[in-house]
Amino acid sequence: MNPLYLDKENLTIDDLVSVARSGRDVAVSSFGEARVARTSALIERWVKEKRVIYGITTGFGALCNVTISEKDTRRLQENILMSHAAGVGEPLSESVVRAIMALRVHDLSLGYSGCRMETIRYLLAFLNQDVIPVVPEKGSVGASGDLAPTAHLGLVLIGRGEAFHHGERVSGAEALSRIGLSPLQLAAGEGLALINGTQVMSAIGALVVNDAVRLSKMADIACAMSLEVLMGSNSEFDPRIHQVRPHPGQLATADNMLRLTAESQIIASHQGCARVQDAYTLRCAPQIHGASKDAVAHARRVIDIEINSTTTNPLIFPDTEEVRLGGNFHGQPIAMAADYLSMGLAELGSVSERRIERLVNPQLSELPAFLIKEGGINSGLMIGQYAAAALVSENKVLAHPACVDSIPTSANKEDHVSMGTIAIRQSREILTNVENVIAIELLCAAQAYDLLTETHPLTAGRGTREAYRVIRRHVPFMAQDRELYKDIQAMVQVLRSGEILDAVERAVGRICVEK
């Protein structure tokens, strides 16, 4: 694969995923290098002229009125990395840190920060030679950028902190030595430029949104499978119903469900039965799943804008040789989108759990209790529903919005903060929980299909039968009790791999998020 030029104007979420998860090589073009050099030369000149510029020749935050002499500017930049590296908790995953570094390079290479190309090359070397700084996941309030976590990243550039190299945790100095680099001597303004931005919340957000798009499609597939084995109807997906309430996600879900269940002998077998309407978890899937898809689509639009923005401060405009102080580092756009995304994802899990209950409850499904033969000696999928219920309940706590809270920092200079990094970390946790819930629904639906077709040899829909086939390649029919957690783990891995979605889309066309 050709290297990705991180100074490109339109960096996509797919680009970022390829760097974060596939280890794609990265570079900066000659055009980007020239842009960076032009601005860094301005900073060097202004320092010599003893201009007073926030964060370059002054202290930070509430200490912005303290002027720093030219001889101390380098020490100032190292001090900001050491003093701000106050993160706590477990390290962020390798993929997230790779995404953070890629976004940091992208922002710096746009040429508004004054950072030198030499510094950017260190970050490129980290990405291309598998040096992953140890970045604790907690400690950012999401304004003035993600200061604490990005400071930990910056420490490794100067031979401090810690990093993983090919999976081994070593000191920052050792990591640099292993790839043939000496500790970087930071120039004026570079310490601040390295930490002042929304790259941590944006990186997590990009990966979460990428996975949320896939998960929202998988929710439709799981729902379609449940609909069939619960003897539901697909008449509620008639496009005429949804065209008179044309929310994009609702329209997409109804269309997806129709195509997934097309040619279903199971659904055709009970047309004209006494049941008038299906339960809401089936009948209202377009309205419920659709609203969640709209939340995902909104978050994706916000993240698309953010990963192509400059969020540092101060901003240098080389064309006019001016400096402007602003607040692009404030994470409010991401915070609010992340909280909305959390609610959308939580609802996908909530409605899935209710379908799981319908599948395992013989009074609702007309199938063997807990989807197992010889009930009593076997418990079947009984506790799968318990696990789903626990995850859904946990999501209700995690979906509490983080953006509505603010604790002032820096002696009240920073008197409103976004908590955006907390918000998107909550989204990530909710997404993981919902992946497990949807996996349990898929297990239940496949088991129900086997039990149903033993007595009624009917084929599933064009899309649902492809999903069933993939599931059975990885998880066999449960004839008697076995360790259920292994089945759930296997199902989650299949869901994440995209194998089910790929097979279904080959059969019915693209499963859409908005229409």
Side-chain angles (χ1 to χ4, degrees):
M1 187 180 293
N2 294 328
L4 174 68
Y5 286 93
L6 289 172
D7 58 306
K8 62 188 289 191
E9 286 189 10
N10 183 30
L11 191 68
T12 67
I13 290 174
D14 286 344
D15 287 335
L16 201 58
V17 171
S18 73
V19 175
R21 292 180 173 164
S22 302
R24 185 176 180 181
D25 283 348
V26 292
V28 170
S29 71
S30 56
F31 178 78
E33 289 188 7
R35 191 166 52 199
V36 168
R38 185 182 178 193
T39 311
S40 60
L42 271 179
I43 295 288
E44 185 178 357
R45 193 184 87 201
W46 289 341
V47 170
K48 285 184 166 59
E49 294 171 352
K50 296 183 169 50
R51 288 186 57 170
V52 177
I53 306 170
Y54 170 76
I56 297 173
T57 59
T58 75
F60 309 105
L63 300 176
C64 63
N65 295 322
V66 179
T67 302
I68 308 298
S69 66
E70 181 180 351
K71 68 181 179 65
D72 287 332
T73 53
R74 179 165 294 170
R75 180 183 167 195
L76 172 69
Q77 303 308 316
E78 292 189 357
N79 281 352
I80 192 174
L81 296 182
M82 292 187 291
S83 65
H84 285 51
V88 299
E90 293 299 311
L92 290 167
S93 69
E94 175 180 331
S95 60
V96 168
V97 177
R98 288 183 61 83
I100 294 168
M101 290 192 288
L103 289 178
R104 188 73 270 175
V105 170
H106 178 72
D107 191 333
L108 297 176
S109 67
L110 294 178
Y112 296 103
S113 71
C115 197
R116 296 169 302 159
M117 195 60 219
E118 180 184 0
T119 301
I120 295 172
R121 288 195 186 99
Y122 269 59
L123 291 172
L124 294 172
F126 284 8
L127 285 165
N128 291 335
Q129 298 184 61
D130 198 32
V131 171
I132 310 299
V134 175
V135 179
E137 66 177 354
K138 298 180 182 180
S140 174
V141 295
S144 280
D146 288 305
L147 296 174
T150 45
H152 283 271
L153 188 155
L155 281 178
V156 181
L157 297 172
I158 61 173
R160 297 179 180 273
E162 295 179 284
F164 293 101
H165 184 241
H166 297 317
E168 183 183 358
R169 189 167 178 164
V170 297
S171 70
E174 173 66 15
L176 288 176
S177 176
R178 288 187 178 192
I179 62 172
L181 294 176
S182 301
L184 183 66
Q185 298 295 309
L186 295 175
E190 289 191 316
L192 183 61
L194 285 166
I195 69 172
N196 210 346
T198 62
Q199 279 68 42
V200 174
M201 64 182 91
S202 299
I204 299 171
L207 298 181
V208 169
V209 165
N210 176 81
D211 296 345
V213 169
R214 180 197 61 229
L215 187 60
S216 68
K217 297 178 180 184
M218 288 302 305
D220 287 358
I221 294 170
C223 180
M225 293 181 70
S226 295
L227 175 87
E228 284 186 309
V229 295
L230 289 169
M231 295 297 176
S233 169
N234 61 3
S235 64
E236 50 248 28
F237 311 130
D238 186 317
R240 291 172 296 180
I241 297 172
H242 306 285
Q243 285 164 0
V244 296
R245 196 197 192 194
H247 293 290
Q250 179 175 333
L251 290 169
T253 304
D255 181 63
N256 293 341
M257 295 292 288
L258 270 181
R259 289 183 289 118
L260 286 163
T261 57
E263 303 171 10
S264 171
Q265 291 180 356
I266 299 173
I267 290 176
S269 71
H270 57 85
Q271 288 180 352
C273 69
R275 183 186 299 171
V276 176
Q277 291 190 118
D278 292 324
Y280 283 3
T281 52
L282 303 173
R283 176 164 37 115
C284 298
Q287 291 80 7
I288 300 169
H289 286 199
S292 291
K293 286 185 177 70
D294 290 341
V296 172
H298 173 71
R300 182 168 59 181
R301 285 190 289 270
V302 171
I303 293 295
D304 276 334
I305 292 170
E306 194 73 8
I307 66 176
N308 287 289
S309 301
T310 289
T311 59
T312 192
N313 182 58
L315 290 170
I316 315 299
F317 294 94
D319 289 343
T320 56
E321 296 193 4
E322 291 180 288
V323 179
R324 288 291 180 267
L325 299 176
N328 281 357
F329 50 68
H330 200 292
Q332 195 74 358
I334 293 179
M336 295 189 73
D339 286 334
Y340 183 27
L341 175 63
S342 289
M343 289 184 278
L345 292 172
E347 281 297 279
L348 286 180
S350 179
V351 71
S352 174
E353 185 277 328
R354 288 293 80 199
R355 291 193 296 265
I356 293 168
E357 166 61 15
R358 301 193 76 83
L359 288 165
V360 301
N361 186 334
Q363 296 178 344
L364 300 173
S365 69
E366 300 179 14
L367 293 165
F370 308 113
L371 301 173
I372 193 73
K373 296 178 180 179
E374 298 183 36
I377 192 170
N378 292 300
S379 296
L381 286 152
M382 176 195 293
I383 308 303
Q385 186 268 329
Y386 284 41
L391 294 169
V392 167
S393 184
E394 181 180 344
N395 284 349
K396 293 172 185 177
V397 177
L398 291 170
H400 183 282
C403 71
V404 296
D405 181 50
S406 177
I407 298 176
T409 57
S410 194
N412 227 36
K413 186 79 169 180
E414 297 158 5
D415 55 354
H416 182 281
V417 299
S418 75
M419 304 301 181
T421 314
I422 297 171
I424 199 62
R425 285 196 299 105
Q426 289 180 171
S427 300
R428 182 185 57 183
E429 189 69 18
I430 290 170
L431 178 122
T432 300
N433 287 344
V434 177
E435 285 177 329
N436 280 275
V437 175
I438 299 294
I440 293 168
E441 183 181 3
L442 290 166
L443 289 173
C444 290
Q447 182 78 1
Y449 179 77
D450 286 328
L451 294 169
L452 177 68
T453 54
E454 270 191 3
T455 54
H456 300 80
L458 302 167
T459 59
R462 192 190 310 154
T464 50
R465 64 175 172 255
E466 292 303 317
Y468 168 83
R469 287 169 183 165
V470 174
I471 292 168
R472 283 291 172 254
R473 281 202 290 268
H474 296 274
V475 182
F477 172 73
M478 182 185 287
Q480 58 187 15
D481 280 349
R482 58 179 183 243
E483 295 161 298
L484 188 55
Y485 78 93
K486 293 182 179 179
D487 288 358
I488 297 171
Q489 288 177 351
M491 196 69 256
V492 169
Q493 290 307 311
V494 175
L495 183 155
R496 289 174 178 166
S497 73
E499 187 179 349
I500 294 174
L501 184 59
D502 289 345
V504 169
E505 290 190 327
R506 283 194 296 270
V508 304
R510 182 168 171 264
I511 303 298
C512 299
V513 176
E514 52 187 332
K515 194 172 177 67

